[in-house]
Amino acid sequence: GENVEQHPSTLSVQEGDSAVIKCTYSDSASNYFPWYKQELGKRPQLIIDIRSNVGEKKDQRIAVTLNKTAKHFSLHITETQPEDSAVYFCAASTNTGNQFYFGTGTSLTVIP
Amino acid sequence: DGGITQSPKYLFRKEGQNVTLSCEQNLNHDAMYWYRQDPGQGLRLIYYSQIVNDFQKGDIAEGYSVSREKKESFPLTVTSAQKNPTAFYLCASSRGPWVDTQYFGPGTRLTVL
């Protein structure tokens, strides 16, 4: 099955700096890569996603890049704010199984 | 995500008891999922259902059971066979097997006393 690895497990940045979280996957058939943000004790919420026919997608301060050859994708958050502090999860899935395989999460802390 | 509800928010169970967690959605989604979340381990799939009256085991189905008698409902029973049930349980749904975005409920925190 698919194996998704996520790094780093914790990340601290100063307010206004950028944050980058990286994920690798093993199944070359994976074609959908969402990113979820989870605040403490709350549900994961989709913040951005990318499909395998696209190399980069941007939504205001967040962007995701995908390298299919190397089988890795990354979340980029620019001009970080304290409200960006949360746990971020990446995931990968294929059309056939409609299962998500999640990374183990990155706890992001933005220091004011 | 406001269309997916889970109850109760907190649940306490004595060892040896079965408990059932509720998940309801009014999004008209065909597919529903149950995940277990433990610290440092991300989300692991317990069961999923792509259509009414059908469901499949995920990676950690042992000690759990589900039913899908209605499109809107996908209850999860944690049985006494589950050796370490204390965790945060998340239900999710998506429009169908060809559409991948999953939306999550607020979760149930189960604690075994």
Side-chain angles (χ1 to χ4, degrees):
Chain A
E2 173 69 280
N3 181 41
V4 177
E5 295 188 355
Q6 183 172 345
H7 300 279
S9 57
T10 59
L11 179 60
S12 292
V13 299
Q14 293 289 333
E15 182 177 359
D17 288 349
S18 296
V20 180
I21 303 170
K22 298 181 180 179
C23 288
T24 61
Y25 61 99
S26 60
D27 188 350
S28 57
S30 290
N31 58 3
Y32 177 63
F33 307 92
W35 284 90
Y36 287 86
K37 175 184 180 181
Q38 186 178 29
E39 296 177 1
L40 189 63
K42 299 194 174 178
R43 74 186 80 191
Q45 294 194 310
L46 180 74
I47 54 170
I48 197 167
D49 56 10
I50 192 168
R51 298 188 185 270
S52 59
N53 59 345
V54 176
E56 183 174 1
K57 184 176 179 181
K58 190 174 182 180
D59 182 3
Q60 299 182 340
R61 295 187 298 109
I62 60 173
V64 56
T65 58
L66 172 64
N67 184 325
K68 287 190 294 182
T69 303
K71 289 190 277 190
H72 68 72
F73 56 111
S74 299
L75 177 71
H76 304 255
I77 306 174
T78 59
E79 301 173 13
T80 53
Q81 301 168 1
E83 51 264 39
D84 294 329
S85 297
V87 177
Y88 292 81
F89 292 97
C90 64
S93 75
T94 65
N95 279 337
T96 53
N98 198 36
Q99 287 196 47
F100 280 12
Y101 292 90
F102 285 87
T104 51
T106 296
S107 177
L108 173 65
T109 301
V110 179
I111 304 167
Chain B
D1 56 306
I4 304 176
T5 59
Q6 291 184 240
S7 62
K9 186 173 183 179
Y10 298 98
L11 184 58
F12 298 90
R13 189 194 94 172
K14 294 182 180 179
E15 286 192 12
Q17 284 183 336
N18 293 353
V19 291
T20 297
L21 283 58
S22 169
C23 178
E24 304 279 333
Q25 53 97 0
N26 61 3
L27 301 170
N28 200 33
H29 285 176
D30 284 318
M32 298 186 74
Y33 314 81
W34 275 105
Y35 292 92
R36 170 180 171 140
Q37 187 173 29
D38 296 282
Q41 294 193 45
L43 283 73
R44 292 183 291 167
L45 183 66
I46 304 172
Y47 268 97
Y48 67 99
S49 168
Q50 295 188 350
I51 197 169
V52 174
N53 292 323
D54 183 66
F55 49 82
Q56 305 294 329
K57 292 181 179 180
D59 299 326
I60 56 165
E62 185 176 352
Y64 301 97
S65 66
V66 294
S67 62
R68 186 83 187 279
E69 297 178 0
K70 298 186 299 181
K71 187 176 184 178
E72 302 79 17
S73 179
F74 191 39
L76 173 74
T77 297
V78 184
T79 74
S80 57
Q82 170 50 236
K83 299 305 179 187
N84 185 23
T86 295
F88 189 49
Y89 290 87
L90 286 160
C91 178
S93 70
S94 63
R95 277 187 287 168
W98 60 89
V99 178
D100 300 320
T101 302
Q102 294 186 10
Y103 299 92
F104 286 86
T108 293
R109 188 166 299 279
L110 172 64
T111 302
V112 173
L113 302 174

